[in-house]
Amino acid sequence: MSCAASVSTAFSPLWWRQCYGCLLGAMLLLIAQGNVSAADPTAEQQYWLELTNRFRSDPQSELQKLVNFSAPGVWGSPKSSDAYIANALNFFGTSATDLAIQFPTLVAAPPVAWSSALNVSATTYSNRMVSNDQQSHTLDGLSLDQRVQSGGYSANWLEVGENLFASTNTIIHGHAGFVIDWGDGNGALAGYGNGIQNPAGHREVLLNSVYKEMGIGFQSITIPGTMWMPSAPMW
């Protein structure tokens, strides 16, 4: 590892099912400090990058954009103006009170830039998840740093991370899943607890201030009837 302030963060493949029905996409977001690549992101990748940087610049305002409160710590009706986000909040029983406690403590972070090399790693692994019909961080037998470097990213980085989702209906829905980090907050116990993952690791990755670059692997395919699908609105 070089002594330079290199950083690499990976947001792992994220599956998203488009709202009009039959497409499945796998997305991987990677962030790091290193050589800047010239290839431009697609419109979908650019949108997710912009949403990520919007959250990093003002975490508290981002929550207000994604959900509705009638009073601090009290859900409005509906819980979100986005039906997919509201559905996920209802499914997991996400606590408005706990979100109101957690988000004021979040610290803004500098924006991240696009990296085509990280995008190569993201796309490769996303494709593997689609072909294997599995949601897993270990399908290729590589460590995360090996995965990042296998896509051509510089070995001069200090940190790498990865977020992984099973299914989402739209990009803003998937973004909200990372930001809110809805899911099982109850561990091995029955039920979902407060409906927020503990710790909120996906959210922490998004706000890690050492991350400098991001790559997003994205593709859409028809979902065969045999494909694995989550039972929840978004894992």
Side-chain angles (χ1 to χ4, degrees):
M1 179 183 301
S2 161
C3 62
S6 301
V7 177
S8 183
T9 291
F11 295 78
S12 163
L14 151 60
W15 309 83
W16 68 286
R17 185 176 46 197
Q18 295 185 8
C19 57
Y20 44 85
C22 66
L23 298 180
L24 177 72
M27 297 189 70
L28 174 58
L29 316 180
L30 302 174
I31 300 179
Q33 180 177 348
N35 299 326
V36 177
S37 301
D40 292 333
T42 65
E44 292 90 352
Q45 292 166 336
Q46 180 65 35
Y47 182 39
W48 204 305
L49 174 66
E50 291 174 1
L51 289 174
T52 299
N53 281 330
R54 190 177 76 178
F55 176 48
R56 286 170 67 91
S57 69
D58 191 343
Q60 292 74 33
S61 292
E62 189 66 16
L63 182 64
Q64 299 295 327
K65 291 181 173 69
L66 298 174
V67 304
N68 298 324
F69 294 116
S70 61
V74 179
W75 286 124
S77 182
K79 294 180 180 179
S80 172
S81 300
D82 184 287
Y84 295 120
I85 296 174
N87 185 37
L89 295 172
N90 286 327
F91 182 92
F92 290 108
T94 302
S95 169
T97 299
D98 286 349
L99 289 177
I101 292 172
Q102 292 174 4
F103 267 74
T105 70
L106 302 181
V107 178
V112 292
W114 174 256
S115 168
S116 294
L118 294 178
N119 174 53
V120 169
S121 300
T123 300
T124 299
Y125 195 75
S126 295
N127 284 333
R128 183 179 292 272
M129 289 206 305
V130 171
S131 61
N132 286 29
D133 190 17
Q134 293 184 52
Q135 175 192 349
S136 171
H137 291 275
T138 59
L139 293 177
D140 57 4
L142 300 177
S143 64
L144 188 51
D145 58 332
Q146 291 171 329
R147 186 178 304 151
V148 169
Q149 293 176 49
S150 70
Y153 195 75
S154 168
N156 296 325
W157 52 266
L158 297 179
E159 186 173 340
V160 60
E162 185 173 78
N163 281 353
L164 177 64
F165 268 112
S167 178
T168 176
N169 295 87
T170 63
I171 290 178
I172 190 68
H173 177 212
H175 168 70
F178 281 151
V179 169
I180 297 169
D181 224 349
W182 57 57
D184 187 0
N186 227 16
L189 300 177
Y192 297 125
N194 67 354
I196 303 169
Q197 297 195 42
N198 184 24
H202 302 96
R203 186 194 304 159
E204 292 172 358
V205 167
L206 288 180
L207 289 177
N208 191 322
S209 63
V210 302
Y211 297 148
K212 307 300 180 186
E213 294 182 328
M214 174 160 63
I216 305 170
F218 173 78
Q219 64 282 332
S220 297
I221 64 169
T222 300
I223 305 173
T226 57
M227 287 293 282
W228 177 86
M229 294 297 293
S231 60
M234 166 73 90
W235 290 108

